[in-house]
């Protein structure tokens, strides 16, 4: 077990180290939602956003003693207004929800989307805690397969191996 110390300055000017384990450590849960915001989601995006919020509030409600941090990665496709748009892990769940509500389904144009890049951003570009005791989960929400023909992308099998090595569970 790794020991960290908190230093308290006493009136006499002495510094006394106290082990952080002297206090009950708060469990940490980190969750990222990866959401397809392309035009093909136009009939589905509002329900997808409600489901994401339902999952988010359920996680918070069922883990009242935990610090819950959530992130959002929205994605479309090359040539659209954006390929990915990320909002880092935060405890400001209401603020993240406000960002989620702003997304509209647009773009795309072909069946496959930039799923590979979105997953890669979620696994490698979010501010995940490095502590192995932290529960880390990604929920992928979309209606189309990834472009496997984009040469610049890391393909999802490699990204999923990376996620597993980092202790991140990916749900699709």
């Amino acid at each position: 077990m790794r020991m960290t110390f908190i230093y308290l300055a006493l009136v006499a000017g002495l510094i006394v180290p106290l082990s952080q384990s002297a206090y009950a450590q708060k469990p940490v849960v980190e969750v990222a939602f990866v959401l397809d915001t392309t035009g093909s989601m136009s009939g589905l995006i509002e329900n997808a956003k409600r489901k994401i919020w339902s999952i988010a509030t359920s996680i918070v409600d069922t883990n009242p003693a935990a610090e819950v941090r959530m992130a959002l990665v929205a994605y479309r496709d090359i040539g659209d207004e954006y390929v990915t748009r990320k909002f880092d892990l935060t405890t400001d769940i209401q603020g993240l929800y406000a960002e989620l509500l702003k997304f509209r389904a647009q773009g795309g144009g072909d069946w496959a989307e930039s799923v590979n890049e979105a997953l890669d951003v979620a696994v490698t570009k979010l501010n995940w805690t490095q502590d192995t005791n932290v529960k880390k989960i990604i929920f992928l929400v979309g209606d189309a397969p990834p472009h496997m023909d984009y040469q610049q992308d890391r393909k999802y099998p490699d990204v999923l191996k990376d996620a597993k090595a980092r202790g991140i569970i990916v749900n699709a």
Side-chain angles (χ1 to χ4, degrees), residues 2-131:
R2 185 185 69 189
M3 298 293 260
T4 56
F5 294 97
I6 300 170
Y7 292 95
L8 298 178
L10 300 178
V11 176
L14 299 173
I15 297 177
V16 179
L18 294 177
S19 168
Q20 191 173 4
S21 60
Y23 304 100
Q25 285 191 330
K26 196 177 211 181
V28 179
V29 178
E30 295 180 335
V31 180
F33 295 96
V34 179
L35 175 63
D36 179 353
T37 60
T38 60
S40 64
M41 290 287 288
S42 62
L44 306 170
I45 197 159
E46 293 307 317
N47 283 337
K49 291 190 290 187
R50 277 193 291 279
K51 189 62 175 176
I52 287 170
W53 185 243
S54 172
I55 292 168
T57 56
S58 177
I59 290 168
V60 170
D61 291 347
T62 58
N63 295 282
E67 175 183 326
V68 179
R69 300 173 68 221
M70 294 190 183
L72 176 64
V73 177
Y75 68 93
R76 289 188 176 160
D77 206 358
I78 291 176
D80 291 338
E81 178 185 346
Y82 57 87
V83 176
T84 62
R85 187 169 286 162
K86 80 174 176 86
F87 298 87
D88 256 325
L89 289 155
T90 181
T91 56
D92 181 9
I93 309 304
Q94 293 295 330
L96 192 67
Y97 180 61
E99 295 300 333
L100 174 66
L101 289 178
K102 294 177 188 177
F103 286 108
R104 301 289 175 251
Q106 294 178 318
D110 58 358
W111 178 236
E113 312 298 356
S114 288
V115 180
N116 287 319
E117 186 168 342
L119 280 174
D120 190 44
V121 166
V123 170
T124 66
K125 305 280 192 279
L126 293 176
N127 58 335
W128 297 101
T129 301
Q130 300 305 310
D131 188 339

Side-chain angles (χ1 to χ4, degrees), residues 132-144:
T132 57
N133 293 320
V134 173
K135 302 299 182 212
K136 300 173 218 158
I137 306 164
I138 293 174
F139 289 96
L140 173 62
V141 182
D143 69 343

